Amino acid sequence: MKSILTRLLALFALTLVAACGQDSKPMAKVEGGPALWQVQRGGFNGWLFGTIHVLPRGVTWETPAIKEAMGASDRLVLEAADLQDEQKTLALFEKMGRSPNLPPLEKRVPDGEQAALGKALTDGGTSSQLLSGYESWAAAMLLSAASQQDLGVSQSDGVEPVLIATYKKAGKPIGGLETVERQFAAFDTLPETAQSALLVQTIHEAKGMKALYDRILTAWSKGDMEAIAKEDQNGEQPDPMVEEAVLVQRNRDWVKAIEPMQGRPFIAVGAGHLTGRENLIELLKAKGFTITRVQ
């Protein structure tokens, strides 16, 4: 969706938005329904659901087709089962995202971007002093989260908490395709040049975050994957090294996790992983899975 940042909106938002516990505004019921696929191969007969991790309060997305799939499934599989553990997630972020003796944030972006950095920091209600203790990838996450403060969204109103509560109530197991540590490691292992590029792109996107999120929410609510895919083609393109590490390689790893599965799992991942280069759907098809859109 336009960039790595918007594809991973929740991952960035949870580090600050969820921790701050900001209020969100009620929103009317959405029409249509988010995209849902049935996935089959041999003894595997499950579902793949494209989620949006942070939502305004009051969005109704559980359509009859989604409820039916959840009821027929034997377990829930998320991107990372431990993502909802805020204490653990924030502790990992602090551990992996901080390093001693880092240069000021202004020194990590080109001279021509320093004014824009200052504006993004001010608009987000944060400062270089607060973020300079973080590595550039972590500073980018926090700056992105700060720019989302006026979106009126929260992780607690996202799809995953509803899914988790439903499956816990039903007594069905909940697993993950990876861990939160693996998610952060995708960024933490990037060279500084790629981290700096991520930081610059965060600065560029901060101003138009609300309009972009509104478009994504509208497309997701209707299951309009074509509209979501078009966001990839708008604006500046992500650094190839960042895209490879944060999206493509993780999709490949997820396929390896899915391949040995049997039974009827309900797999829920961010909708941004289901479009673009080497998206999860195409990778699964290449491994012999039959994937049928059911909503």
Side-chain angles (χ1 to χ4, degrees), residues 105-174:
L105 212 58
E106 293 85 354
K107 299 293 185 182
R108 302 186 225 167
V109 299
D111 292 343
E113 301 290 351
Q114 291 182 6
L117 170 62
K119 187 177 188 309
L121 290 167
T122 300
D123 290 348
T126 186
S127 69
S128 174
Q129 183 178 3
L130 287 173
L131 300 190
S132 288
Y134 291 91
E135 296 173 20
S136 297
W137 69 269
M141 285 189 174
L142 290 171
L143 182 57
S144 179
S147 71
Q148 295 168 30
Q149 292 292 329
D150 65 347
L151 295 184
V153 300
S154 73
Q155 187 190 18
S156 61
D157 291 313
V159 171
E160 282 77 6
V162 175
L163 292 175
I164 289 171
T166 301
Y167 278 81
K168 281 185 175 180
K169 184 177 181 180
K172 297 179 181 181
I174 301 171

Side-chain angles (χ1 to χ4, degrees), residues 214-230:
D214 287 345
R215 293 198 304 272
I216 292 170
L217 176 59
T218 298
W220 175 80
S221 300
K222 297 177 179 179
D224 190 347
M225 297 303 293
E226 182 178 351
I228 292 176
K230 284 182 179 178

Side-chain angles (χ1 to χ4, degrees), residues 196-235:
S196 177
L198 185 63
L199 180 57
V200 169
Q201 192 166 20
T202 308
I203 296 167
H204 292 173
E205 293 196 340
K207 184 178 180 181
M209 183 66 75
K210 188 178 189 312
L212 176 60
Y213 177 79
D214 287 345
R215 293 198 304 272
I216 292 170
L217 176 59
T218 298
W220 175 80
S221 300
K222 297 177 179 179
D224 190 347
M225 297 303 293
E226 182 178 351
I228 292 176
K230 284 182 179 178
E231 291 294 342
D232 282 335
Q233 302 164 14
N234 297 332

